[in-house]
Amino acid sequence: MKKSLLFVCLFISLNWRTGFAQTPTELVWWNPAEAEFPVIEGQGWRGKDLQNPYDRLPAEAEKSVRKAVWDLSRNATGLMIRFRASTDKVTVRYVVSGRQSMPHMSATGVSGVDLYAGTSDGDWLWCNGKYTFGDTIQYQFANMEAAERGREFRLYLPLYNTVKWLEIGVPKGVTLTPLPVRNDKPIVVYGTSIAQGACASRAGMAWTSIVGRKMDRPLINLAFSGNGRLEKEVVDRVAQIDAKIYVLDCLPNLIANGDRTLEDVNRLILEAVKNLRQKQPTTPILLVEHAGYTDGGISPVRRNYYAGVNEVMRRAFTQLKGEGIDQLYLLPKSQINLDQDAMVDGTHPSDLGMQQYAEAYEQSLRAILKEPLGPFSTTKPRTQTRDSRIYDWQTRHHEILARLKTNPPRIVYMGNSITHYWGGEPVAPRAAGADSWKAVMEPLGVQNMGYGWDRIENVLWRVYHGELDGYSAAQVLLMIGTNNLQLNSNEEITAGLKFLIQAIKVRQPTAEIVLIGILPRRNEEKRLATLNEDLAQMAGEANIRFAQPGTVFLKPDGTIDETLFGDGLHPNAEGYRQFAAKLQPFLKTPEPVLKAKKASR
């Protein structure tokens, strides 16, 4: 019996090693530090300004900031690498120069990387990585669902360690496309160990990483553990970065002690804000109170530490506002509102605490930047990559932004593929109505800002990310919502458009907004007739114009005229001609043209 059992075990062992052994996948490696263009996001300085490709402060700062600050600036917290690939496997190998773990923080947070994968609808999915720590650290992300058209990946680098070198590997035959650093102005955070990431379990769970994903903006993390002290040498560097907003979250390192009084703290706050405002006159500044300690309820000594500096912060904030410092905001402890289980050691947040921090920050930042969220999917800004076989959505966004700077439009036409594939610049992959666009729209200075497959929430993202900034349009035409029909109710579509119209008004307060009814489409004629009635009523309540040139596509029986469409949704050349004629009376004519017409009568 024992011999039989031994034979069975031996057979299983041999079978496992031979029949079930997997052939190692051959990988192709890419080094981000050797990319032809900047790909390491989260840095205020790049290239020759840095000693090491993964530093957070410029090389020249070594001579002026304290050694502790300089050493911590070599940590890679907040740095992220973006790339696109269609793969089920990603391997990352790298070497760090410091200790790999700390007593109160896991090695995966101190020295680990973290990978997120994007969906075609702009959501972010966490990827589970199997890791080995040693002289060379390796993470293997496997068994992922490979997107046929490729997906964007975001790799977050270690929170508390210095990266000496790093490579990303994908299976041979897979195309890895590096993505450049985004052009959006970043959120810039100057803070302490909490903002640096202590004690998140992994890099993507630092509150700064979470906020970066939630706001979908670059974020530059200039937090230095134990050394966020509002020092002039660091504030000067913060001011060098052209930011969307500056966040000063340094009170946890400024509690009164034997070397520092509360009056010292008050002076540091005043000096830091005035210094920053002098160098950056209009950029918003967010001051943050100490979030407290979770043992503050039972320890009066600990409670007094944060209560004292918070009182000073409120006093300094009031003084600065009274002195006329504009675009200055305060995030109070009560709004951060950490609960009793939100910290690892009473001082540093756990993942739960990081989530609560991020939620408070997002709420505050959205209010300041005028980027609110609503209750429906149509009121939550999202990117998309649904039509990536034809063109890249993000690339079109960057092309549009570049064109807006050099050719500010008179009239903006925001929409989906029905608008995009009509005509105009930048040139679309196809144009079904180029002749009517050139004849009617081009002379009026209309900028085509339609994107294939766009929904209401995608246009909202584009509005939040600069497509209506930096110029004054005479009109904004809005025709969007047909791609929401399969996902949203009429109520949600109407609410989304109302939400979007308000966002447009904030950014183009002098422009006339014209809401164009959703065009009829095959098998949806009755629903769209009802929906457009709702939209007309909403437009009246919002005090904007409503136009319905799409009726030109309907036959007397209420069904679409198929001869005017290519596919029952997108007009053909004749359809665009008739649509243009019906839309033209709603378009503002330039004053010189009006005067010329009057003179010729």
Side-chain angles (χ1 to χ4, degrees):
M1 184 67 180
K2 290 183 179 180
K3 289 183 179 180
S4 298
L5 183 59
L6 180 62
F7 174 77
V8 171
C9 292
L10 181 61
F11 173 80
I12 292 174
S13 176
L14 290 172
N15 199 39
W16 177 265
R17 293 184 181 183
T18 56
F20 295 94
Q22 295 183 352
T23 303
T25 303
E26 185 177 355
L27 300 177
V28 177
W29 296 96
W30 170 60
N31 186 335
E34 298 174 356
E36 297 179 357
F37 48 82
V39 297
I40 303 171
E41 190 165 284
Q43 294 175 310
W45 304 267
R46 301 190 186 102
K48 295 180 180 179
D49 291 335
L50 301 174
Q51 277 191 22
N52 180 291
Y54 298 100
D55 284 355
R56 293 184 292 141
L57 284 179
E60 55 84 16
E62 184 179 12
K63 299 177 182 178
S64 55
V65 302
R66 288 184 298 107
K67 184 178 186 304
V69 173
W70 173 253
D71 290 344
L72 288 162
S73 77
R74 317 302 297 272
N75 294 168
T77 185
L79 304 189
M80 180 178 71
I81 297 163
R82 301 165 57 242
F83 59 94
R84 184 180 299 281
S86 178
T87 181
D88 62 349
K89 182 192 296 290
V90 173
T91 301
V92 183
R93 63 186 183 189
Y94 57 102
V95 170
V96 296
S97 61
R99 59 183 177 180
Q100 294 185 356
S101 65
M102 296 189 294
H104 64 318
M105 186 172 175
S106 67
T108 53
V110 173
S111 303
V113 296
D114 214 359
L115 188 69
Y116 282 75
T119 71
S120 61
D121 292 324
D123 294 317
W124 291 99
L125 308 176
W126 178 69
C127 304
N128 184 12
K130 305 301 181 184
Y131 48 85
T132 55
F133 281 76
D135 292 339
T136 298
I137 302 174
Q138 181 165 288
Y139 270 72
Q140 292 183 326
F141 303 92
N143 302 316
M144 299 183 292
E145 184 177 9
E148 179 184 353
R149 304 172 192 174
R151 66 168 83 243
E152 179 183 332
F153 291 93
R154 294 183 178 180
L155 181 71
Y156 294 89
L157 302 191
L159 299 173
Y160 264 82
N161 222 321
T162 299
V163 175
K164 297 179 68 174
W165 65 265
L166 178 145
E167 291 181 327
I168 299 170
V170 294
K172 186 176 181 180
V174 169
T175 299
L176 184 151
T177 303
L179 297 178
V181 169
R182 291 172 290 178
N183 292 327
D184 302 73
K185 290 185 178 182
I187 299 167
V188 178
V189 178
Y190 175 26
T192 69
S193 57
I194 297 168
Q196 183 166 341
C199 288
S201 65
R202 47 188 174 83
M205 282 304 298
W207 73 254
T208 49
S209 301
I210 299 171
V211 166
R213 287 195 301 277
K214 284 178 173 287
M215 301 293 292
D216 204 10
R217 289 193 176 279
L219 188 146
I220 294 178
N221 188 328
L222 292 179
F224 308 105
S225 183
N227 289 275
R229 303 179 185 177
L230 293 180
E231 294 165 302
K232 182 180 183 301
E233 296 81 5
V234 180
V235 175
D236 285 343
R237 270 72 185 187
V238 171
Q240 292 175 4
I241 304 170
D242 186 14
K244 186 74 174 177
I245 185 170
Y246 299 104
V247 177
L248 303 182
D249 187 357
C250 291
L251 287 195
N253 286 164
L254 291 176
I255 58 174
N257 55 28
D259 300 323
R260 185 187 307 112
T261 67
L262 290 177
E263 284 309 310
D264 291 331
V265 176
N266 183 70
R267 174 181 53 79
L268 286 168
I269 296 170
L270 297 177
E271 289 176 353
V273 172
K274 291 178 181 179
N275 182 6
L276 195 50
R277 178 53 75 233
Q278 182 181 14
K279 295 178 173 64
Q280 296 288 350
T282 60
T283 306
I285 301 171
L286 176 61
L287 300 177
V288 185
E289 288 188 5
H290 195 311
Y293 306 123
T294 48
D295 59 335
I298 198 169
S299 171
V301 173
R302 295 268 283 172
R303 183 167 61 249
N304 289 338
Y305 281 151
Y306 60 78
V309 290
N310 282 347
E311 183 179 346
V312 168
M313 174 65 85
R314 289 189 290 272
R315 177 161 33 104
F317 176 76
T318 301
Q319 178 180 334
L320 290 164
K321 295 292 285 186
E323 292 177 2
I325 302 292
D326 198 15
Q327 289 281 76
L328 181 67
Y329 304 89
L330 179 67
L331 176 57
K333 174 183 179 297
S334 59
Q335 188 172 323
I336 301 173
N337 196 29
L338 301 181
D339 66 30
Q340 289 296 302
D341 296 320
M343 290 185 176
V344 170
D345 54 3
T347 300
H348 299 95
S350 61
D351 286 354
L352 172 63
M354 289 294 183
Q355 287 281 10
Q356 292 176 355
Y357 257 104
E359 289 167 5
Y361 263 105
E362 182 188 15
Q363 182 180 1
S364 181
L365 291 170
R366 287 196 178 280
I368 295 167
L369 301 178
K370 297 180 175 59
E371 298 179 5
L373 299 177
F376 305 120
S377 64
T378 54
T379 58
K380 294 178 171 63
R382 285 288 185 275
T383 59
Q384 59 98 345
T385 54
R386 303 181 197 102
D387 207 15
S388 58
R389 289 175 301 180
I390 300 176
Y391 74 101
D392 183 84
W393 192 89
Q394 288 282 357
T395 298
R396 177 164 173 81
H397 172 63
H398 296 315
E399 289 175 347
I400 290 287
L401 291 180
R403 184 172 175 80
L404 292 173
K405 287 182 179 180
T406 57
N407 298 281
R410 283 191 64 256
I411 300 174
V412 170
Y413 195 157
M414 308 196 83
N416 49 45
S417 57
I418 297 172
T419 303
H420 186 187
Y421 299 144
W422 185 353
E425 301 284 343
V427 177
R430 61 174 183 261
D435 60 333
S436 55
W437 182 277
K438 187 172 184 178
V440 177
M441 311 300 278
E442 191 174 297
L444 298 179
V446 182
Q447 173 63 57
N448 186 328
M449 285 162 61
Y451 288 51
W453 285 96
D454 255 16
R455 299 173 186 153
I456 296 167
E457 55 268 32
N458 305 130
V459 179
L460 182 64
W461 187 96
R462 297 197 273 122
V463 169
Y464 283 178
H465 287 257
E467 291 194 3
L468 294 180
D469 296 342
Y471 62 94
S472 295
Q475 277 184 311
V476 177
L477 312 178
L478 182 63
M479 188 176 76
I480 193 71
T482 195
N483 291 324
N484 291 92
L485 292 174
Q486 304 304 316
L487 299 171
N488 301 104
S489 66
N490 286 9
E491 177 190 5
E492 291 169 341
I493 292 171
T494 302
L497 282 167
K498 184 177 181 179
F499 201 85
L500 175 57
I501 287 165
Q502 182 56 39
I504 293 172
K505 284 183 175 182
V506 167
R507 290 155 179 82
Q508 289 286 338
T510 62
E512 179 188 60
I513 301 174
V514 181
L515 177 62
I516 301 172
I518 300 174
L519 300 193
R521 59 186 291 177
R522 185 185 297 150
N523 301 324
E524 295 283 1
E525 295 93 337
K526 289 184 179 179
R527 179 184 176 185
L528 284 169
T530 301
L531 176 54
N532 281 329
E533 290 174 0
D534 296 340
L535 297 183
Q537 180 178 342
M538 182 270 290
E541 295 169 353
N543 195 29
I544 65 168
R545 295 187 73 184
F546 179 77
Q548 202 167 3
T551 54
V552 73
F553 295 109
L554 292 173
K555 296 189 297 186
D557 65 358
T559 60
I560 64 168
D561 183 347
E562 296 279 0
T563 65
L564 300 178
F565 290 89
D567 54 6
L569 171 63
H570 298 88
N572 56 25
E574 179 59 27
Y576 277 119
R577 289 188 202 103
Q578 295 194 27
F579 178 74
K582 198 91 170 183
L583 178 63
Q584 193 167 12
F586 293 91
L587 305 178
K588 280 193 172 183
T589 305
E591 284 298 322
V593 176
L594 286 174
K595 290 179 181 178
K597 286 183 177 180
K598 290 179 181 179
S600 64
R601 289 175 182 172

